[in-house]
Each structure stands twice: as C-alpha cells, then as structure tokens.
Amino acid sequence: MYPSTLLERFNEQVQLKYQIFNSIFMTLPFQAIDNTGSLLPLFSEMCDDGFKNEQSPEQIFNEFAEKYMPGTTEKERIGMMFRFIQYVERQIVLFDAIEDAAFTKMNNLEGSGSLRYSREKAESQGLMHELRDFLDDFQVRAVLTAHPTQFYPGSVLGIITDLTLAIKNNNLPEIKDLLSQLGKTPFIKKEKPTPYDEAVSLIWYLENVFYHAAGEMSSFVQQSVYREGALRHPVLSFGFWPGGDRDGNPFVTTEITLKVADRLRTSILKCYYGDIRKLKRKLTFPGVEAMITDIEGKLYRSVFYSEGELYITLEELKLALNEVRDLVVNEHQALYADEIDGLINKVNLFGFHFASLDIRQNSRIHDAVFSDVINYLAKENTEAGDYKNLDNKAKIQLLGKLKGKIEPSFFENEDTIKTLESILAIKNIQENNGPQGTNRYIISNNESALNVLELLTLFRLVGFENPPVDIVPLFETVDDLKDADAVMKLLYENEVYAKHLKNRGNKQTIMLGFSDGTKDGGYLMANWSIYRAKENLTAMAREHDVKVVFFDGRGGPPARGGGKTHKYYASQGATIENNEIQITIQGQTISSNFGTLDTCRFNLENLLSAGITNGVFNKEKKQFTQEQRELIDHLSLLGYEKYTDFKNHPKFLSYLDQMSTLNYYAKTNIGSRPSKRSKSATLDFSELRAIPFVGSWSQLKQNVPGFYGVGYALGRYEKNGQWEKVQQLYSDSLFFRTLLENSMMSLSKSFFPLTAYMKEDPEFGEFWQIIYDEFLETKRLLLKISGYDELMDNYPDGKASIKLREHIVLPLLTIQQYALNKIRGIKKNNTDDALLEIYEKIVTRSLFGNINASRNSA
C-alpha cells in the first residue's frame, strides 16, 4: 500500500478527530450554558450560507435570532453572543491540541530540513570536515519576546499540554475529563500581566521545552558530527526580552529587570538539579556517587536556600562534571557517559543565564536622555554646553573626548534615571549570571551613527570604560535600511567605536525590523530593502574586517517577516553573511511553533539546516543577475508607490480608527505593552506599533500588510507584455518564490465577504473597494505565476488547516463585526452608554479567539 498523502493524513489525524472530539465537547452538560452547544453549529451554518448570499453580519445574526431565539430581548441575545465566544475559544484550544498531537504524523522529523538529513547528506558527499568547520562558527539564536499576541493563562496552557498528550495516546476518558475541565476554566485574565508575569510565562517554555529540545539537538550534533568530547561551540543560544525591553513599555523598571535575571538563573539551576538527580540514580559507582552527591547538594542550596548566593560557580560545575565523566570513562567502561555529555552540553549552552536578557530602548528616548546629560555636564564643561548647536560631525568628535562622571541620582527626569539604571543593571546581572546574562543593548529606530556613539558615551560616563556589551542598532524604516551601511561605515571608521569593537572580538550585531519595515513601506519593498541592506552591510563589514551578524526582528505572519522562515534563510546567497541566524520568536508563535518538544525541535532544526545548506552545500550559490536585481528593484518600487498612495489616502487612518479593532488591543489583558509608543490621544501612524497595526487588518480578515501592492506590481508587467520576466524570476529565485508564497498565506487568511457590507458605507465604501480590488488582482496574478488552481496548493495540509481554523472562528468574526456596527450606530446616535460598554466588551473578548485561531496573526 502506498503511504497516504499529506492531505489524507490531515483529514484522518486532524479533521476527523476534531469532528469527533468537538461533538463530545458540544454535548457536555455545563451549568448555565443552556442550549449553546446545539445552537452554535446552527449559527455557524447560517454564517457560511449568509456570507455566500452576500448578507451582512448584522443580517445574519438577526435572522438567526428570529429563527432560533424568537421573542428574546437584546440582553438575552447579547448573553448568547458571549456564550458563543466562550465555546469557540475552547474549540480553538481543542483544534490546537489535536494538531500538536498529530505533528509527528504530519511532519517527517528526520526528513529534509532535519539535522540527521544534513549530517547524512554531508557524509554521502564527503563533506563531513566542511560540516564540522562550519558548525565551529555557526549558531542559531532564538530570542523570546512577550509581545501581546498570546493570551492563554497558565491554567489553560496546562490543559492544552495534557490534552495534547491524551489525544496522542487516544485516552478517551481523559480527553473527556480535560474537555470538561476546559469548559469550566476561565480564559480571561482579570488584570494585565506585568513584564515580570510575561517573563515567568515564557520561562515555562524555556524550562519545559527549549531546555530539553536544545539539549537533545546539541547531543545529536556532538555524537553524530563530532563524535568525541563535548561541543567546542554551542550550535544554539537563546535570548530574552521580557523585563529588558523598555522600548515604549512604561512598566519595565530596573527592579523588574534584575528580578527577571534572577528568575532565569534560578530556573536553569533547577533544570540542572533535576538532571543531576536523574544521573545520581545511574552513577552508583565507587568514587562517582560521592561526586554527584556533592554537586547535587550545592545546586540544591543555590536554588532553594540562598537569596542570590551561589554555592557552586559555573566553572566549578563544568569542572566537576568533566571530572565525573573522566572517572566514568577511565574506570567504569564509559557507562552512561553519553548522559553526562548531554548535561555538559546543556551547561555549556545555557550557562547560569539560561537566556541572555537583551536591553532595548528607542533612540528618541535616548535623544532626550543625552540632552539631559549634556545639560548637566555643561555646568562644569563649557564645551559640552555647545553640543546641541554642533553638526553631526562635530558632535561625534566631541563625544570622543567628553569626560565626566554621572549617576542616576544626579537627575530628575524619569527616562534619564531609568536609562542610566538599566546600564548599571547590566554590570549587576553579569556578576550574578555571567557575561552572557545580559550583553546587548538594542537601539530601536536607529537613524544615525550618533545614536550608537551617544549610547557608548553614556556607558563611559557611568563608569563602563570598556563596556562588555554589544551595542546593536535596529534599522526599521525603508529610509533607515537604505542608509544603514553608511551609518555603519561611520562607526567602523570612528576611533572610539573601532576600539570598542576590537574589545568585542570585531563582531557587530545589526538588527533589522521586518514589522515596521512592512508597516512603513509595504510588503515587497520591506522584504527587498532588508535583503539589499544585508548585502550592503555585509560588504561594508568585510571591507573593514568586521564579522557582522544579522538579528531579524520578525513576527508571526508574512506581513511581519513570518511564514516559511527557513526557506527565507536558505534563499540568501554568498553576498549575505551567514555566521549566525538570529530571530525573534514572539507571543503566539512561541506556543504554535515551539510549544511542544516535537514542534520546537522541528523548527529549530529547520533554521539550523537552512544555515548549513548555505554554508556547506550551496557554497557556489546562484547569485542574482543584474537583470534580476533591476527587476526586483522595479517591482518593489511599484509596490511601494501603490502602498504609499494607499497609506496617504485621506480615509486610511480613520478607517483603521473607526472600522477596525485597532482601539481594542489596548483594552485586552494579553500584554503589558501599550499599543502605541506615545501617550497622545490622537492616532499617529508613526507611533503605532506593528502588532496592533497588522493585527487589526487580520481581525478584519483583510491582511493588507501581507499583500498590498504585490498585485499592482505584477500587473504592470502583465499589461506591458513583460510577464515572462517575472515568471522566469519566480522559477529561478527561491527568495522571490518564497516571498510570493508567503504572501499567498496572507491571502488565504483573508475573507472579504465578512466586511463586504462596508462597500455600501457612504464614508468608507470607496476605500473598502480599493482594498478588495487589490486583493483580487494579487490573488489572480499569484495563481497565474505559480500555476496553482488555488492558493497554497503546494502546502495542502497547511491550506486545509487554515480552512478549518477559519471555519471554526467564523461565528466569532461575525459577532465581532456585528458588535462593531452596533457601536458605530450607538456613537452616531448618542444612545445607550450601557449598551456601548457591553458591545465594546464583546469586541474585546472576540479578539482573543481570533488571535489564537490564526496562530500567526500579529
């Protein structure tokens, strides 16, 4: 019998199981639920039929209420909406658990993209030596960020984990109990999480998933690639933003930063303690048992008895473990040596820091802080007093010789105090957690070399003469990406900064922001601008003998750099430095792509293999020809012009403000960060964060940032009789093909019948039509260039998953649009304020399920 296809496996392992378990869930006898379980399928069916018949959400719900809830009051109908929301939220959890349980059936963990595949390919091609050399330098760094795209409280996360396991084991009684528990467990947090709460939530994934998956991967690389001894260089590392990311988050304090660092250290020591206890059960040999017992006792006291005091240092732990290993190898036939090596690899990988805490702040805050510092220094130094009147070149010269000593207590401005305290906190954390505890300071919205040099000067002024910290500029907008290499040239050639880089091993990390790039310049221009910026920055670094590492700030959906990420990295040529892959993993993407051992291992190995593909197997990669470059340049420019016209439309901001859920993101208790950087009451596009921007289009099921301008750009070539040029580019370039395939995902998650009623709106009808026309044009031309009959035909299981998820969530979307329409009517007519508050609550509640159903919505 031939093996089943991906789609057949999806239907059997996911769709069928969902239908079975959902039918059980819908018939569970929950108190005070009435007949919700029987009415929801009927409402879902009416939504399907209604949108096919071009009905509005209001018409669909009213028709449903008249047919199945005759004689009910508005209050009773609102109550049913809330119960529908509660049910759909739990259906999504059930579907997530079923998909996670089926992951190994749907994906080949040993196939293309796996470490085993890369190792066997290298062996068959006689490239094992090249593979070892490459891995001596290469690393994947996953940086966990707590952006507000995941709302499940810890109790629900625990149910998802247990439910996934029960489904995997086909344990029907346990599945039924867990579904009952799910029905009775609250989903909504009563209070917003603090940055520390967010940190604790993400540390759960470090302890329960990343620690084990990364440890197993390290052991596999050691045993199958190096064979003898511990790895000389960890192939993985982890970063951490909650508690250190101050950019626009007024709730991050120095106290929280230090508290998170302490929690990270305690958590990794607990993990080591657990592994030592397991080893102790096996290493019962003379001489060895006493050594293990000694390590166990010191770790125990460091975790449970000390307040920050360590009874064993990192170096002492490494030395003790290596002594245990030597004794086992030399005197006990290397029994359990592999397990000891596994723990040694984990200690080398995670140290006493677990994940490096990045500090981040916006350059605009730094500008104000440095101005405050200059005003203070001017009291003693007249030269400093002239600083603000100098041009940039003169400012840079003055920074090199600026002297003084400052402390946070010298200042009254809150931002100045916080910024200086965060710099001093780095020293404290490094003393307790080691140099990897925190060793990077990221400057958001970096526009010039001056942004970097002023920060370096602040380090010097607070007493860091040779700061053991990498300063990482983050280039985000299209203009900043274009000028990035010129900024770095000034830095590389600056005497003070060159000295700092030399102390840091001549290694420069540069962060590039997909999210704000797309928000600023549209889908094509943002992606191509980042690609070109990487090429230019690589050339500039090589010219100055600097090892450059790129850190990509990505979100979940294609509009924020997501999609098939491993394909993106595999498509980068020799003109882009390939020393490391560094990437942010945030919010709901952590739980969806790295939430279980299987998914975590699969996705980390895909990233690692993408680097290996470039560095070992595709050294003679096909580069873009000049003609291809000019073609992508022109396509990007066309897309940029179309998107810019759209963004400058007089109805653009008011459409987001009045017709979308933009203003409701700030009302949810899913993240500690505000939805915009400024505190202004008016909507300012430049201050708007990428998450609520992209998320609002996602809630509308329009997904504008993931496709707008693509159809227009391709269409120009079709109209000009030059279609074969873009068709050939699609066939020849993995980069361009991946770019368009990811855009197809955005289109697949769009559903314009939901908002089709807006085309009749006297104020926004024309604007809605502009969006819809570009959607249709992009869909038509992406199908034409790919040769597919339907979007995502090359990912049948992914397409089926999206389709089923969108079906589950359709009642939620319908209710959300119904409530938004009611809100607009109430505001327009100045009627019942009590009803306004209730309908606003419906919109806010419906956000949760929609966010989690998409798995990469923002």
Side-chain angles (χ1 to χ4, degrees):
M1 181 183 291
Y2 285 102
S4 55
T5 65
L6 269 174
L7 187 56
E8 287 169 342
R9 293 204 300 276
F10 178 86
N11 290 336
E12 178 188 339
Q13 298 294 328
V14 180
Q15 186 168 8
L16 181 60
K17 285 188 176 181
Y18 174 74
Q19 290 168 349
I20 293 169
F21 296 141
N22 184 51
S23 65
I24 296 172
F25 175 67
M26 298 296 274
T27 55
L28 289 173
F30 298 126
Q31 278 187 321
I33 293 295
D34 302 327
N35 56 345
T36 311
S38 58
L39 286 177
L40 180 56
L42 297 171
F43 179 55
S44 182
E45 186 179 342
M46 287 195 75
C47 290
D48 283 331
D49 294 339
F51 288 123
K52 284 174 187 173
N53 295 322
E54 300 184 351
Q55 288 182 292
S56 70
E58 192 164 13
Q59 289 172 323
I60 291 169
F61 186 79
N62 287 340
E63 187 178 312
F64 167 79
E66 288 166 12
K67 186 172 182 179
Y68 296 106
M69 302 172 62
T72 53
T73 64
E74 185 169 14
K75 183 179 178 181
E76 289 169 329
R77 294 180 180 189
I78 286 171
M80 182 57 73
M81 287 187 210
F82 277 114
R83 291 197 291 276
F84 280 166
I85 289 171
Q86 291 170 341
Y87 255 84
V88 174
E89 284 173 342
R90 285 153 178 81
Q91 286 179 315
I92 292 161
V93 168
L94 172 61
F95 188 77
D96 284 349
I98 291 170
E99 275 208 319
D100 286 344
F103 190 81
T104 54
K105 303 276 180 64
M106 299 301 303
N107 299 276
N108 184 358
L109 267 61
E110 308 298 340
S112 175
S114 70
L115 279 175
R116 186 178 299 278
Y117 179 86
S118 294
R119 187 257 181 204
E120 290 174 354
K121 185 176 180 180
E123 190 170 51
S124 67
Q125 295 183 11
L127 294 173
M128 286 299 292
H129 181 71
E130 286 83 349
L131 178 59
R132 291 188 197 101
D133 285 347
F134 177 75
L135 290 177
D136 276 343
D137 265 340
F138 184 75
Q139 188 177 82
V140 167
R141 182 187 183 105
V143 181
L144 308 189
T145 71
H147 291 316
T149 54
Q150 171 64 275
F151 80 95
Y152 292 139
S155 55
V156 175
L157 287 173
I159 294 172
I160 294 173
T161 302
D162 294 341
L163 187 57
T164 301
L165 186 61
I167 292 169
K168 220 172 186 177
N169 296 330
N170 285 318
N171 189 332
L172 292 178
E174 188 175 0
I175 291 169
K176 187 174 180 181
D177 287 346
L178 287 165
L179 289 175
S180 297
Q181 183 185 353
L182 187 67
K184 292 175 176 291
T185 302
F187 270 43
I188 305 305
K189 301 171 182 175
K190 292 182 179 178
E191 296 179 356
K192 273 184 178 289
T194 67
Y196 183 71
D197 294 333
E198 291 176 328
V200 171
S201 295
L202 289 196
I203 289 171
W204 184 92
Y205 288 101
L206 283 173
E207 291 175 339
N208 293 282
V209 183
F210 287 99
Y211 178 76
H212 302 287
E216 288 175 9
M217 286 173 64
S218 294
S219 292
F220 179 82
V221 172
Q222 175 201 297
Q223 293 163 10
S224 67
V225 178
Y226 290 93
R227 294 190 177 89
E228 292 298 325
L231 285 172
R232 286 166 281 177
H233 170 77
V235 293
L236 297 167
S237 69
F238 297 92
F240 205 76
W241 274 18
D245 178 12
R246 294 169 178 264
D247 178 20
N249 190 336
F251 309 110
V252 173
T253 64
T254 305
E255 181 185 4
I256 285 176
T257 302
L258 295 171
K259 193 176 175 183
V260 169
D262 286 345
R263 180 63 178 253
L264 284 164
R265 185 186 66 252
T266 302
S267 294
I268 190 59
L269 291 176
K270 280 182 182 175
C271 290
Y272 296 154
Y273 174 71
D275 277 357
I276 281 289
R277 283 182 60 83
K278 291 174 188 173
L279 272 175
K280 187 180 176 183
R281 292 175 65 89
K282 297 180 177 181
L283 302 179
T284 52
F285 322 134
V288 178
E289 187 175 24
M291 295 169 70
I292 288 291
T293 300
D294 182 58
I295 297 170
E296 178 196 26
K298 289 175 178 177
L299 284 173
Y300 183 84
R301 290 197 297 276
S302 298
V303 171
F304 298 106
Y305 279 157
S306 71
E307 293 196 3
E309 185 179 355
L310 292 174
Y311 290 86
I312 186 168
T313 67
L314 178 60
E315 290 309 312
E316 287 169 348
L317 178 60
K318 288 181 180 179
L319 181 63
L321 288 172
N322 278 294
E323 286 177 352
V324 168
R325 184 186 189 280
D326 289 344
L327 191 59
V328 166
V329 169
N330 295 329
E331 297 186 18
H332 302 287
Q333 294 76 50
L335 190 57
Y336 301 124
D338 285 346
E339 283 90 334
I340 302 170
D341 284 338
L343 180 53
I344 291 172
N345 282 332
K346 287 176 181 174
V347 172
N348 289 334
L349 196 163
F350 295 111
F352 274 13
H353 62 280
F354 215 159
S356 298
L357 191 63
D358 284 344
I359 307 296
R360 184 170 79 124
Q361 185 54 281
N362 197 289
S363 66
R364 294 171 193 175
I365 299 292
H366 285 161
D367 288 343
V369 168
F370 200 75
S371 178
D372 198 16
V373 170
I374 283 292
N375 289 337
Y376 174 82
L377 294 177
K379 296 173 186 176
E380 304 287 334
N381 185 338
T382 54
E383 202 172 5
D386 295 330
Y387 182 81
K388 59 185 174 185
N389 300 318
L390 301 175
D391 61 25
N392 280 3
K393 185 176 179 181
K395 284 181 177 178
I396 289 172
Q397 288 177 341
L398 178 58
L399 288 176
K401 54 186 178 181
L402 194 62
K403 288 184 170 49
K405 182 74 170 70
I406 58 174
E407 296 177 14
S409 60
F410 294 173
F411 301 91
E412 296 180 3
N413 182 277
E414 187 179 352
D415 283 334
T416 304
I417 294 168
K418 281 184 175 182
T419 300
L420 298 181
E421 283 181 346
S422 68
I423 292 173
L424 292 171
I426 292 172
K427 185 180 287 188
N428 181 299
I429 294 169
Q430 289 189 349
E431 286 172 358
N432 292 323
N433 293 19
Q436 297 296 316
T438 177
N439 60 3
R440 302 202 305 191
Y441 197 117
I442 300 163
I443 307 173
S444 301
N445 194 42
N446 195 98
E447 297 176 333
S448 69
L450 204 58
N451 293 144
V452 174
L453 293 171
E454 285 180 346
L455 178 60
L456 184 59
T457 303
L458 287 179
F459 272 93
R460 192 174 74 247
L461 292 173
V462 298
F464 270 112
E465 270 306 319
N466 296 304
V469 176
D470 297 328
I471 297 178
V472 181
L474 166 52
F475 300 104
E476 301 180 80
T477 67
V478 170
D479 287 340
D480 290 344
L481 288 165
K482 193 183 300 180
D483 298 336
D485 59 319
V487 170
M488 297 314 299
K489 176 180 169 68
L490 279 172
L491 289 172
Y492 295 151
E493 294 177 358
N494 177 270
E495 185 179 345
V496 174
Y497 194 74
K499 181 185 175 185
H500 169 70
L501 265 190
K502 188 176 180 181
N503 290 334
R504 302 298 295 159
N506 266 2
K507 177 181 174 181
Q508 174 67 55
T509 302
I510 299 172
M511 190 173 179
L512 304 164
F514 281 79
S515 303
D516 283 285
T518 307
K519 171 176 158 271
D520 177 55
Y523 183 72
L524 287 176
M525 180 59 82
N527 280 275
W528 183 235
S529 292
I530 287 172
Y531 192 95
R532 285 189 305 174
K534 284 186 175 182
E535 288 188 315
N536 295 336
L537 289 165
T538 296
M540 188 60 66
R542 289 172 180 173
E543 184 183 321
H544 291 84
D545 198 27
V546 172
K547 179 181 177 181
V548 68
V549 172
F550 296 116
F551 175 24
D552 291 322
R554 291 171 170 267
R560 299 188 58 227
K564 302 297 179 182
T565 307
H566 61 284
K567 273 194 171 184
Y568 170 82
Y569 286 111
S571 71
Q572 297 188 25
T575 52
I576 293 176
E577 204 64 78
N578 186 40
N579 296 312
E580 295 184 27
I581 290 176
Q582 297 196 8
I583 183 173
T584 55
I585 308 171
Q586 49 200 21
Q588 102 210 75
T589 312
I590 297 173
S591 59
S592 61
N593 289 352
F594 300 87
T596 68
L597 288 173
D598 291 334
T599 58
C600 184
R601 176 193 153 192
F602 179 83
N603 286 294
L604 285 178
E605 287 197 14
N606 265 266
L607 288 173
L608 199 53
S609 295
I612 292 170
T613 297
N614 268 338
V616 179
F617 303 126
N618 290 354
K619 283 188 174 180
E620 304 301 322
K621 290 178 282 291
K622 196 177 186 181
Q623 301 300 311
F624 283 120
T625 65
Q626 186 58 33
E627 184 181 3
Q628 287 174 327
R629 285 181 175 280
E630 290 172 0
L631 178 54
I632 302 179
D633 263 334
H634 191 228
L635 286 166
S636 300
L637 184 61
L638 289 170
Y640 178 64
E641 290 171 352
K642 180 72 172 175
Y643 179 76
T644 302
D645 287 345
F646 174 68
K647 196 172 65 172
N648 292 334
H649 192 286
K651 294 299 178 187
F652 181 84
L653 283 178
S654 53
Y655 181 81
L656 275 176
D657 189 40
Q658 296 177 42
M659 307 301 280
S660 82
T661 58
L662 180 67
N663 295 313
Y664 296 89
Y665 270 80
K667 297 177 182 180
T668 60
N669 291 329
I670 55 178
S672 70
R673 298 195 338 159
S675 59
K676 55 185 180 179
R677 287 183 168 91
S678 72
K679 296 178 181 178
S680 169
T682 58
L683 186 57
D684 183 344
F685 182 78
S686 64
E687 295 290 344
L688 186 61
R689 290 189 177 277
I691 287 169
F693 176 73
V694 173
S696 296
W697 291 112
S698 175
Q699 295 281 321
L700 283 168
K701 305 314 287 180
Q702 293 176 359
N703 290 322
V704 161
F707 72 83
Y708 200 90
V710 175
Y712 172 78
L714 294 174
R716 283 283 294 271
Y717 276 79
E718 183 188 51
K719 288 169 189 169
N720 294 338
Q722 296 179 304
W723 180 256
E724 72 282 353
K725 286 186 177 181
V726 290
Q727 185 70 67
Q728 194 62 48
L729 180 65
Y730 180 84
S731 299
D732 292 346
S733 168
L734 178 61
F735 171 81
F736 187 64
R737 192 162 60 252
T738 301
L739 195 62
L740 296 193
E741 285 180 356
N742 283 340
S743 188
M744 286 187 202
M745 186 186 294
S746 293
L747 295 174
S748 296
K749 293 186 176 184
S750 298
F751 184 66
F752 278 83
L754 177 72
T755 55
Y757 72 93
M758 293 181 186
K759 66 185 174 185
E760 306 300 331
D761 187 272
E763 184 177 358
F764 296 109
E766 180 189 339
F767 188 75
W768 181 91
Q769 193 66 47
I770 289 171
I771 300 169
Y772 185 51
D773 288 345
E774 180 62 12
F775 166 80
L776 292 176
E777 181 72 345
T778 304
K779 180 179 178 180
R780 179 181 74 83
L781 291 170
L782 288 185
L783 290 176
K784 179 177 179 179
I785 202 169
S786 64
Y788 302 151
D789 294 325
E790 293 182 9
L791 295 170
M792 294 183 66
D793 263 358
N794 56 331
Y795 295 108
D797 55 326
K799 183 174 74 172
S801 175
I802 289 172
K803 185 177 179 181
L804 188 46
R805 283 179 178 278
E806 296 300 317
H807 174 74
I808 293 169
V809 86
L810 191 58
L812 263 189
L813 295 165
T814 307
I815 289 170
Q816 185 183 88
Q817 284 298 316
Y818 176 90
L820 284 168
N821 203 41
K822 283 285 188 180
I823 290 165
R824 288 190 288 268
I826 292 169
K827 286 182 175 179
K828 184 178 178 181
N829 300 316
N830 291 317
T831 51
D832 197 332
D833 285 342
L835 270 180
L836 175 65
E837 189 177 337
I838 291 171
Y839 280 118
E840 285 183 334
K841 187 177 179 183
I842 287 175
V843 174
T844 305
R845 280 296 314 275
S846 63
L847 280 171
F848 301 131
N850 293 339
I851 286 170
N852 284 287
S854 293
R855 282 206 150 182
N856 65 352
S857 63

